[in-house]
Amino acid sequence: MVTALTAGVLTGLAIAGGSISSGVVGARMGRGVAGPSQLHGALYGWVWPVAMIGIVVLAIGLGRLGAPVGFAMPALFVFVTGGLFAVGAAVCRNVPDYALGLGLLVLGAALPFVPAPWHSLTLALVGGGALVATGLWTRARAVR
């Protein structure tokens, strides 16, 4: 059995590794971009970690007040991710990602009403399925 400390350390390492990888990929994607697009990309790029850290801080604060936040955490992350996808896609005029963002907003709002353990399955199938489907659709259109 894995202890809570071990699980916490492993989760923290996974989050740190994912954050570093995301930062490196984002920085590489921005090479060669100049002017207003560079500023837009940098500003939008910083919103993501600030929003995600904000969710964790909010959850910790609510937990300290006695609110049961464990069940709501996935919904909060999906909701904020959907909002950021939709805003970024609207600015870039990317209709598939905009639709994905709206779908994630709806999913995030609906998840707390799905009973455990079905909310995890719903998140995986609906949220993950929407991400994969949007990616495949976008790739198929780019190949044309």
Side-chain angles (χ1 to χ4, degrees):
M1 177 178 258
V2 177
T3 66
L5 177 62
T6 303
V9 168
L10 291 175
T11 301
L13 289 172
I15 291 170
S19 298
I20 291 167
S21 299
S22 179
V24 169
V25 169
R28 287 184 179 174
M29 287 175 57
R31 288 185 185 158
V33 178
S37 294
Q38 182 182 25
L39 177 61
H40 173 261
L43 293 174
Y44 182 69
W46 276 106
V47 169
W48 283 85
V50 171
M52 297 305 157
I53 291 168
I55 292 172
V56 172
V57 172
L58 174 67
I60 290 170
L62 290 172
R64 291 185 69 193
L65 294 173
V69 295
F71 192 72
M73 286 294 289
L76 288 170
F77 280 108
V78 171
F79 191 81
V80 170
T81 298
L84 291 173
F85 258 87
V87 168
V91 169
C92 295
R93 297 181 180 135
N94 184 330
V95 175
D97 281 353
Y98 182 75
L100 173 63
L102 292 180
L104 291 176
L105 281 167
V106 170
L107 176 62
L111 272 177
F113 298 99
V114 179
W118 301 107
H119 68 283
S120 296
L121 181 64
T122 303
L123 174 58
L125 293 178
V126 176
L131 287 164
V132 170
T134 303
L136 291 173
W137 188 83
T138 302
R139 182 167 176 94
R141 296 210 21 118
V143 171
R144 289 186 197 177

